Amino acid sequence: MNSADDQYIKVNNFGGSSVILTELDSGGTDGERVTIDGTGSNALTVTARGFKADTGAGELVATGVASLTVTGTSYISTSAQDNVLGAITAANASGVTLSTSGNSTASNTTALTVASLTAANATSVTVSVGQNDTLTVTNDIATTNALVDTLSVTLADDSTLTISGGDIDLKTSAVQNATFTVGTGATVSAVDLEAATVTTLTATLSAASTTTLDLNAAITKGTVTMSSGSTWTLDTAGAASAASSLTISGRGDVAEGTQIDLVGTDFTFDAGSLIDSDGLLLTGATLTGKLTATGTSGADTITGGGYADTINGGAGADSLVGGAGNDSISGGDGADSITGSGGADLISLGSVATDVVVLAALTDTFNSTTLFADGGTVAAFDKISGVTNGDQIDFAAIGTLTNGATVGSTFLASLADSIALIRGVYDATAGTFTAGTGSTANDYMVQFGETTGTTNAGVLLIDITGTVSLAYASEIATISVS
């Protein structure tokens, strides 16, 4: 079908399976409008070969077809084709596909450009970019009736997908399977996946690929595999009022300069099998349920929310913040900084390097206007295990000691201006601490009476092998274990 400028072409009762659009006029950008009315049962493929419509005024409308594939021919012989379509509408098609043919030796940055793709009743959406091609959608890929069951996005090696509008908008679809396969050296530029739920998400990010992809859906099981030199920029993942789970593995870079905001109720984020030299920046601060997070091999920054979170930094010098709630925080290997930030937290330190536990405020651990009595309850205390020689506790946010660094060995007799390290036994069943020096006395309480003399704070060091002493200077308590 050869089209002159600004012509409207309509084909009624088309029972065929293929239409080829070509442009013989070399006069420039055109405003062709094409409507193809099928017979209701046929699968239709529309191929653009040097067809250049106006992305603003042009349109391709397919009605009465069971499925629609729109593809751009990248090369004819050695000639790169400039394929441009306007807004594509496939109201009745149950399956829609955008694709380009690719070329193994030469690139084509204009293999296919479309204004938008709208498929009201689609149950499957497929995007396939051929090798060395660029497929551009200047607005969005969208459905309106939220029926999509399957999404497949595939980029061959050294190809590029750009959705300038930013969205693959599947509305409130309950997607069963969503697959992203990004080839070696390929680029996915700024795409947001929008859906209500995705039961299974599978993404493969090949070597040297660059992917900018947000996952704005509740993900039942998400698996992302990265390869050497691949980069993934992720801003948000999850959906409000729903739980999600995402596992990332392999070797690559989850862009550490971008904070990943997790959304929803409970969220499991596992990057423990990802080798990422510079770590990631992750927060579950707005979650309305608990965060279960495992960091990468690099220096991660992970922040929990207001519930009982479980955070494992993994290897690397991590910065871990529990947030409110009774959190369980494990630093793993590396020189970690750990802040409980409210609640009675269980903090586990690694043995490879010096860790710092930061007490961000009096509410970050036990604090009381009443002095602790021997045998009393320690339910509100942060409890620190895995303590080794050189680990530190940072009291700076709680207060200062004008008396200097004298560390007592008995419970404080005054609320004011003092610090003590008391050996004893923590009874986890009863939730109490009793001073003592017997063979089972492997626990220690650190008491801190801040300068104003109105309150005292404390943490427990539990299950320590060896004898513990404490040196205090500049609001840092340094632990020695011998």
Side-chain angles (χ1 to χ4, degrees):
M1 180 183 296
N2 300 329
S3 173
D5 293 352
D6 299 318
Q7 286 188 346
Y8 183 93
I9 301 171
K10 183 174 183 180
V11 180
N12 291 318
N13 298 317
F14 183 72
S17 61
S18 177
V19 171
I20 298 174
L21 301 176
T22 65
E23 175 57 75
L24 298 181
D25 182 359
S26 60
T29 301
D30 306 301
E32 293 87 347
R33 295 167 173 82
V34 179
T35 297
I36 302 171
D37 182 16
T39 58
S41 60
N42 58 314
L44 176 64
T45 297
V46 177
T47 302
R49 295 180 180 173
F51 185 83
K52 191 174 182 181
D54 186 329
T55 57
E59 61 183 25
L60 169 63
V61 178
T63 61
V65 295
S67 65
L68 173 67
T69 297
V70 177
T71 186
T73 299
S74 181
Y75 274 79
I76 297 177
S77 186
T78 59
S79 176
Q81 302 300 294
D82 187 356
N83 299 306
V84 182
L85 297 171
I88 301 173
T89 304
N92 305 115
S94 61
V96 291
T97 298
L98 278 181
S99 67
T100 69
S101 63
N103 186 282
S104 62
T105 59
S107 64
N108 184 354
T109 60
T110 58
L112 182 62
T113 301
V114 303
S116 61
L117 171 62
T118 303
N121 294 309
T123 59
S124 68
V125 175
T126 301
V127 179
S128 179
V129 188
Q131 185 176 1
N132 290 309
D133 282 349
T134 296
L135 193 161
T136 301
V137 182
T138 58
N139 292 293
D140 294 328
I141 295 174
T143 63
T144 55
N145 291 339
L147 301 175
V148 176
D149 178 80
T150 303
L151 170 69
S152 176
V153 178
T154 303
L155 281 75
D157 294 349
D158 299 310
S159 64
T160 299
L161 172 64
T162 299
I163 301 179
S164 301
D167 292 334
I168 298 178
D169 188 359
L170 309 183
K171 303 303 182 190
T172 58
S173 291
V175 180
Q176 292 299 305
N177 292 285
T179 303
F180 289 82
T181 304
V182 184
T184 300
T187 300
V188 176
S189 179
V191 173
D192 296 344
L193 170 60
E194 306 279 350
T197 59
V198 176
T199 300
T200 303
L201 169 78
T202 305
T204 303
L205 311 183
S206 301
S209 64
T210 301
T211 302
T212 302
L213 173 65
D214 286 345
L215 304 173
N216 298 322
I219 303 164
T220 303
K221 181 181 180 181
T223 303
V224 179
T225 304
M226 303 183 71
S227 294
S228 181
S230 61
T231 300
W232 182 18
T233 300
L234 171 66
D235 285 329
T236 59
S241 304
S244 290
S245 176
L246 184 62
T247 299
I248 311 172
S249 64
R251 182 184 295 270
D253 182 16
V254 178
E256 73 287 345
T258 301
Q259 177 173 288
I260 303 170
D261 292 311
L262 303 181
V263 180
T265 55
D266 296 344
F267 205 116
T268 299
F269 187 99
D270 184 359
S273 295
L274 176 66
I275 300 173
D276 183 342
S277 61
D278 50 16
L280 51 78
L281 178 59
L282 178 73
T283 179
T286 65
L287 292 176
T288 57
K290 66 181 181 179
L291 169 66
T292 302
T294 303
T296 72
S297 64
D300 305 305
T301 299
I302 302 175
T303 302
Y307 293 80
D309 303 317
T310 300
I311 300 173
N312 186 336
D318 307 308
S319 178
L320 310 177
V321 180
N326 298 336
D327 306 309
S328 177
I329 308 173
S330 176
D333 294 339
D336 305 310
S337 173
I338 300 175
T339 305
S341 292
D345 304 312
L346 179 60
I347 297 171
S348 176
L349 306 182
S351 60
V352 174
T354 298
D355 299 312
V356 179
V357 176
V358 179
L359 303 180
L362 279 169
T363 54
D364 195 7
T365 184
F366 163 79
N367 71 94
S368 175
T369 57
T370 303
L371 288 167
F372 183 83
D374 194 12
T377 180
V378 290
F381 281 64
D382 282 356
K383 299 165 184 71
I384 306 172
S385 65
V387 174
T388 56
N389 194 58
D391 290 335
Q392 296 179 329
I393 304 172
D394 185 345
F395 288 91
I398 291 181
T400 59
L401 295 185
T402 56
N403 279 346
T406 302
V407 180
S409 59
T410 59
F411 293 114
L412 297 184
S414 169
L415 293 174
D417 208 18
S418 52
I419 186 170
L421 176 70
I422 304 98
R423 182 180 177 184
V425 176
Y426 164 55
D427 186 331
T429 302
T432 58
F433 180 85
T434 304
T437 58
S439 60
T440 60
N442 299 319
D443 309 308
Y444 291 80
M445 177 182 289
V446 181
Q447 273 189 295
F448 184 95
E450 47 88 26
T451 306
T452 63
T454 58
T455 188
N456 71 123
V459 296
L460 290 185
L461 314 178
I462 62 174
D463 297 329
I464 300 176
T465 300
T467 301
V468 176
S469 60
L470 204 66
Y472 186 89
S474 301
E475 308 356 299
I476 300 292
T478 300
I479 301 165
S480 295
V481 181
S482 60

